[in-house]
C-alpha cells in the first residue's frame, strides 16, 4: 500500500477583506491552519462521584498562529493595510492534493494580523512573521478524491 502523505510545496495561503476576492500572501514559507482548543469548566460539587473532579465543555478558541514569510515591500504593505482594517481578515489555506486526491484540503478562518519584519544576520534573508489572532471558527473542506 502506498503512503498518502505529501510535501507542503504547492500549498497556497490567501487573504481577503470580503471573503470573495482572494489574494495570495506573498513569499509564504509555512501554512496557516489554526488548532481549535476547547476550554473545560470545572463543575465539581459536593455530590460528585468518588471524589473526582467533573468538567463541562466551555468555549472554543483557535488562538494565535504564526505565518512565516519572506519580507517584500508589497507583502509588508498588504499586511499593514490588513492590520488597519476594523473587521477581521478572511484567510484561506489550500494544501496540495494528497496522492489519493485530485484537489487538496482547504482551511478557512478569520483573524487580525500583526506583521513583524525580522532578520537573523548580515548575510541572511529578511523574513517576516505574521501573527494572526483568530476569531470565530475554522472551516475544513476535504479535497476531492482522485477519479471522483
Amino acid at each position: 500500500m502506498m503512503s498518502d502523505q505529501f510535501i507542503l510545496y504547492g500549498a497556497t495561503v490567501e487573504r481577503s477583506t470580503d471573503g470573495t476576492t482572494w489574494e495570495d500572501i506573498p513569499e509564504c514559507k509555512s501554512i496557516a491552519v489554526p488548532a481549535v482548543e476547547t476550554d473545560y469548566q470545572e463543575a465539581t460539587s459536593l455530590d460528585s462521584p468518588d471524589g473526582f473532579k467533573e468538567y463541562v465543555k466551555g468555549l472554543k478558541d483557535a488562538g494565535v498562529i504564526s505565518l512565516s514569510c519572506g519580507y517584500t515591500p508589497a507583502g509588508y504593505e498588504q499586511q499593514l493595510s490588513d492590520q488597519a482594517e476594523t473587521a477581521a481578515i478572511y484567510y484561506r489555506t489550500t494544501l496540495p492534493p494528497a496522492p489519493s486526491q485530485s484537489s487538496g484540503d482547504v482551511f478557512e478562518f478569520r483573524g487580525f494580523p500583526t506583521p513583524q519584519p525580522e532578520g537573523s544576520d548580515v548575510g541572511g534573508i529578511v523574513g517576516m512573521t505574521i501573527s494572526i489572532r483568530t476569531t470565530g471558527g475554522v472551516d475544513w473542506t476535504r479535497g476531492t478524491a482522485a477519479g471522483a
Side-chain angles (χ1 to χ4, degrees), residues 30-117:
S30 64
I31 58 172
V33 178
V36 178
E37 294 184 6
T38 302
D39 287 333
Y40 294 92
Q41 301 299 318
E42 186 178 345
T44 309
S45 66
L46 294 174
D47 56 354
S48 292
D50 300 321
F52 282 93
K53 288 184 178 182
E54 295 183 283
Y55 293 88
V56 295
K57 278 190 168 186
L59 298 175
K60 295 181 263 185
D61 184 10
V64 177
I65 61 172
S66 292
L67 184 60
S68 177
C69 302
Y71 174 89
T72 65
Y76 188 63
E77 181 177 47
Q78 176 194 72
Q79 292 306 305
L80 285 178
S81 176
D82 285 353
Q83 185 180 30
E85 289 286 332
T86 304
I89 303 300
Y90 293 84
Y91 292 94
R92 178 170 67 189
T93 297
T94 305
L95 299 179
S100 65
Q101 296 177 314
S102 58
S103 67
D105 295 357
V106 178
F107 300 85
E108 294 186 58
F109 62 95
R110 296 185 73 189
F112 300 97
T114 302
Q116 180 179 347

Side-chain angles (χ1 to χ4, degrees), residues 112-123:
F112 300 97
T114 302
Q116 180 179 347
E118 51 192 43
S120 57
D121 61 50
V122 71

